[in-house]
């Protein structure tokens, strides 16, 4: 059954029949490249999700088919959108356990670099972890938290939490540091850089520190934050953020590559 959506939700048909052979070929090439690169680099929860959903060795997946697999696991469904959507609409979808996925795919000339999310980033990057119970709950809580942050005028700060966890998060495991952020997982270059390059800072997750930390959108990250587990991320973000926003607002912002007193490096 299709997700219940309504006017103003920016949901469109996926338009599956409109994909060309070349669209599917671009998907398969991106998929092959990342699925060869990621074992040993991405966390086990992501690989488990990729396996469970079978996200697309054959071509761009059908969102309805995928939703039928995902919903029984964690209650999430996928809806198609034309691209970036307004914040309040995005948060409402997340709170209702609907993940908005861009329906179009990049051109072959942009295999390595894309300024806005396409179906490969949104689907391959984000959806596998939605099979994980803790991460699935975290994303829905983030949606509710987003609507609240808008009321509190704190969206600039909360957006940093999304950036440094959902998009660019690293996780510490007994086998070593692993990737879980979708922005890394969907990028060949950054899935190598984030773990292997000596340049970026890798700092233990600290909620208030992240709320104060600016980020860059035009290059690989200068700082990554490392969580211990998805359960720990869930617990750290459970409290009411109202006083945490106030405290963070009273302190100076931190530049993207800056290291400050109290930062705990993780290697
Ligand atoms: N606990 C947060 C609040 O009170 C909501 C939230 C949960 C935000 C999880 C992000 C992630 O605003
Ligand atoms: Co994303």
């Amino acid at each position: 059954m299709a997700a219940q959506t309504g006017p103003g939700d920016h949901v469109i048909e996926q338009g599956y029949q409109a994909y060309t052979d070349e669209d599917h070929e671009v998907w398969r090439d991106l998929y092959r490249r990342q699925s060869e690169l990621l074992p040993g680099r991405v966390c086990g929860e992501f690989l488990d999700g990729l396996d469970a959903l079978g996200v697309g060795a054959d071509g761009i997946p059908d969102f309805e088919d995928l939703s039928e697999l995902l919903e029984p696991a964690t209650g999430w469904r996928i809806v198609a959108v034309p691209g970036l959507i307004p914040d309040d609409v995005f948060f409402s979808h997340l709170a209702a356990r609907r993940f908005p996925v861009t329906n179009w795919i990049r051109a072959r000339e942009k295999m390595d670099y894309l300024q806005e999310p396409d179906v490969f980033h949104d689907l391959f990057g984000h959806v596998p972890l939605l099979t994980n119970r803790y991460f699935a709950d975290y994303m829905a809580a983030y949606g509710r938290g987003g609507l609240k942050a808008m009321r509190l005028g704190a969206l600039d700060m909360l957006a940093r939490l999304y950036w440094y966890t959902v998009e660019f998060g690293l996780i510490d495991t007994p086998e070593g540091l692993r990737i879980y952020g979708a922005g890394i997982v969907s990028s060949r270059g950054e899935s190598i850089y984030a773990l292997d390059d000596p340049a970026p800072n890798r700092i233990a997750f600290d909620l208030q520190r992240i709320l104060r930390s600016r980020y860059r959108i035009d290059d690989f990250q200068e700082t990554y934050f490392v969580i211990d587990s998805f359960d720990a991320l869930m617990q750290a973000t459970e409290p009411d953020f109202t006083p945490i926003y106030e405290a963070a607002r009273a302190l100076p912002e931190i530049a993207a590559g800056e290291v400050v007193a109290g930062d705990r490096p993780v290697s």
Side-chain angles (χ1 to χ4, degrees):
M1 200 187 59
Q4 263 315 318
T5 51
D9 64 11
H10 292 248
V11 170
I12 58 172
E13 293 289 332
Q14 182 182 5
Y16 200 82
Q17 299 311 323
Y19 293 128
T20 63
D21 291 345
E22 170 66 1
D23 289 338
H24 287 296
E25 195 61 38
V26 168
W27 169 283
R28 279 194 293 272
D29 289 347
L30 288 164
Y31 181 89
R32 194 176 313 122
R33 213 166 67 164
Q34 287 314 92
S35 50
E36 284 170 12
L37 182 62
L38 289 174
R41 294 184 173 273
V42 77
C43 66
E45 291 89 340
F46 180 92
L47 288 176
D48 290 348
L50 203 58
D51 278 354
L53 297 173
V55 184
D58 304 333
I60 303 170
D62 181 289
F63 296 176
E64 278 292 318
D65 293 349
L66 216 53
S67 298
E68 294 302 321
L69 290 173
L70 189 55
E71 191 169 27
T74 56
W76 279 80
R77 294 190 67 90
I78 312 300
V79 292
V81 290
L84 293 173
I85 56 176
D87 293 327
D88 59 328
V89 179
F90 180 66
F91 295 141
S92 300
H93 281 304
L94 296 187
R97 294 187 180 244
R98 286 188 300 264
F99 193 76
V101 172
T102 305
N103 71 337
W104 53 269
I105 190 152
R106 70 193 72 183
R108 186 168 291 281
E109 303 74 65
K110 300 201 173 141
M111 289 285 277
D112 293 305
Y113 182 75
L114 204 61
Q115 242 164 14
E116 41 174 347
D118 71 340
V119 64
F120 186 74
H121 167 80
D122 282 343
L123 216 163
F124 183 90
H126 286 281
V127 174
L129 272 184
L130 291 174
T131 59
N132 179 266
R133 187 158 68 89
Y134 296 108
F135 195 81
D137 287 349
Y138 174 69
M139 288 293 278
Y142 187 93
R144 294 190 296 275
L147 295 168
K148 175 168 150 187
M150 289 181 80
R151 292 193 296 272
L152 294 172
L155 202 49
D156 55 333
M157 288 189 280
L158 187 66
R160 293 169 178 160
L161 178 62
Y162 193 88
W163 189 265
Y164 282 118
T165 58
V166 178
E167 294 292 354
F168 291 98
L170 299 181
I171 183 166
D172 202 6
T173 79
E175 292 80 40
L177 280 190
R178 294 290 184 271
I179 301 161
Y180 73 90
I184 311 178
V185 158
S186 64
S187 155
R188 176 182 164 74
E190 197 150 2
S191 14
I192 298 170
Y193 175 89
L195 293 181
D196 296 354
D197 200 286
N201 310 307
R202 299 177 185 86
I203 299 170
F205 179 92
D206 174 336
L207 177 62
Q208 200 193 70
R209 197 309 187 182
I210 290 177
L211 298 179
R212 295 169 55 204
S213 301
R214 293 209 294 264
Y215 55 83
R216 51 189 309 171
I217 59 169
D218 59 338
D219 204 349
F220 294 161
Q221 299 305 301
E222 294 174 88
T223 298
Y224 299 97
F225 290 93
V226 182
I227 61 169
D228 284 330
S229 67
F230 293 119
D231 186 18
L233 174 62
M234 195 57 203
Q235 281 178 33
T237 51
E238 190 113 67
D240 179 7
F241 281 14
T242 311
I244 306 174
Y245 288 141
E246 273 172 37
R249 189 68 90 198
L251 294 166
E253 293 190 335
I254 300 168
E258 200 178 336
V259 175
V260 298
D263 283 349
R264 194 159 60 79
V266 184
S267 56

